[in-house]
Amino acid sequence: MHFMTALEAAWRQRNSLLCVGLDPDPARFPAHLQGRPHAILEFCTQIVDATADLVCCFKPQIAYFAARRAEDQLEALIEHIHTRHPGTPVVLDAKRGDIGSTAEQYAVEAFERFKADAITVNPYMGRDSVDPYLAYPDKGVILLCRTSNPGGSDLQFLDVGGLKLYEHVARLVAEEWNASGNCGLVVGATFPAEIARVRALIGDMPLLVPGIGAQGGDIAATLAAGLSTHGAGLMINSSRAILYAGQDENFAAAARQAALDTRDAINAQR
Ligand SMILES: O=C(O)c1cc(=O)[nH]c(=O)n1[C@@H]1O[C@H](COP(=O)(O)O)[C@@H](O)[C@H]1O
């Protein structure tokens, strides 16, 4: 199924714009999971099973798996999501960016090895570095536009012929790169004015919006700035605030409560 079709169905059927980010840090796992051989997979599957009915998508961050030599656990986790929670899109957060021949390998890794439904990509190397992902028309390609970190302004706020660089990226993706209707953009919840600007430039293209929760982004301002004309259009990510809401054996129940509260706080502003 096309990523956008699955995402739109999840928005509607789950009544949720919440994306739970899967950034498993073993140092923060509850004591009973520490040191277990597949602790990352166990932790993440319990989070997934506890929250799947509350989300529009999951976003595993590849570095948290690769840093622990746990790519096999990432593969198993994504397979688990597809099997046990069909219709829940998986956005692989990898922020790739490289020349075309290498990007082809990254695309195979994301879509054929890990079977992700979408991937985050850095647009900085230009169109030919993104083409290998766009060549999978059913897969989502979510391009960094105005990132949530303060240092994002160093480059993304540069003036390029009367537009800021992030505005240029937004326009370029919306007008030229989105021919298959499979693109989205990343805009941080920490910059609501820029969310509004991007929304004005791109119409109803989906936005991945990290930065609520641990980074302190404002939910009400994000919704006011970013909702599409259909009252959706947003994957609002929260990772640490949900994953580590509890510290003991009941961590998955605590994560569910945090996800429920976040989903409801989002829906209260729609
Ligand atoms: O592409 C991303 O997901 C992303 C882009 C961005 O601008 N800022 C950002 O925080 N992220 C990711 O979103 C997640 C945020 O995690 P929390 O701050 O714990 O909610 C991490 O996985 C980041 O890598």
Side-chain angles (χ1 to χ4, degrees):
M1 188 192 285
H2 195 294
F3 168 70
M4 295 304 172
T5 310
L7 180 62
E8 277 161 20
W11 278 330
R12 210 173 40 248
Q13 289 160 9
R14 317 256 173 99
N15 188 32
S16 179
L17 304 181
L18 175 66
C19 166
V20 168
L22 299 167
D23 300 12
D25 177 0
R28 300 190 67 178
F29 287 178
H32 72 286
L33 289 180
Q34 299 275 349
R36 291 167 70 114
H38 294 98
I40 289 179
L41 180 59
E42 285 185 64
F43 178 82
C44 289
T45 52
Q46 288 193 51
I47 296 281
V48 161
D49 292 347
T51 60
D53 62 317
L54 305 175
V55 305
C56 64
C57 61
F58 286 111
K59 182 179 74 69
Q61 216 307 327
I62 195 167
Y64 284 86
F65 297 83
R68 307 278 163 184
R69 296 192 175 85
E71 291 96 330
D72 57 335
Q73 296 181 64
L74 176 57
E75 257 183 87
L77 173 64
I78 295 176
E79 192 184 324
H80 175 89
I81 295 170
H82 289 325
T83 308
R84 299 289 293 276
H85 308 286
T88 312
V90 176
V91 178
L92 183 65
D93 183 10
K95 298 185 184 66
R96 299 302 193 198
D98 212 319
I99 61 167
S101 53
T102 305
E104 281 172 19
Q105 303 305 316
Y106 280 137
V108 169
E109 178 195 48
F111 300 141
E112 298 184 32
R113 176 183 179 191
F114 289 120
K115 302 200 165 40
D117 300 295
I119 183 174
T120 56
V121 173
N122 190 326
Y124 188 70
M125 288 180 67
R127 173 66 189 253
D128 59 325
S129 76
V130 177
D131 275 338
Y133 309 98
L134 297 174
Y136 291 78
D138 287 350
K139 302 291 189 180
V141 182
I142 303 179
L143 296 134
L144 300 181
C145 180
R146 198 317 166 206
T147 56
S148 66
N149 56 315
S153 306
D154 294 349
L155 299 176
Q156 295 155 20
F157 267 23
L158 290 179
D159 192 295
V160 287
L163 286 178
K164 294 216 166 74
L165 181 57
Y166 82 90
E167 296 173 315
H168 182 72
V169 168
R171 187 177 273 178
L172 186 65
V173 174
E175 292 177 3
E176 295 183 28
W177 295 7
N178 194 30
S180 298
N182 61 340
C183 292
L185 294 170
V186 176
V187 187
T190 41
F191 293 95
E194 286 73 32
I195 298 177
R197 178 69 183 132
V198 169
R199 179 57 80 205
L201 286 168
I202 66 170
D204 282 341
M205 183 188 293
L207 298 178
L208 172 63
V209 184
I212 65 159
Q215 296 178 54
D218 186 284
I219 290 179
T222 294
L223 271 284
L227 281 175
S228 70
T229 54
H230 309 293
L234 298 170
M235 297 166 269
I236 303 179
N237 181 84
S238 181
S239 304
R240 288 166 291 180
I242 288 174
L243 299 181
Y244 309 115
Q247 269 88 43
D248 57 17
E249 290 83 357
N250 297 323
F251 73 95
R256 178 175 177 80
Q257 190 58 52
L260 199 57
D261 293 345
T262 310
R263 183 202 65 179
D264 290 349
I266 292 168
N267 282 346
Q269 304 296 329
R270 290 174 76 182

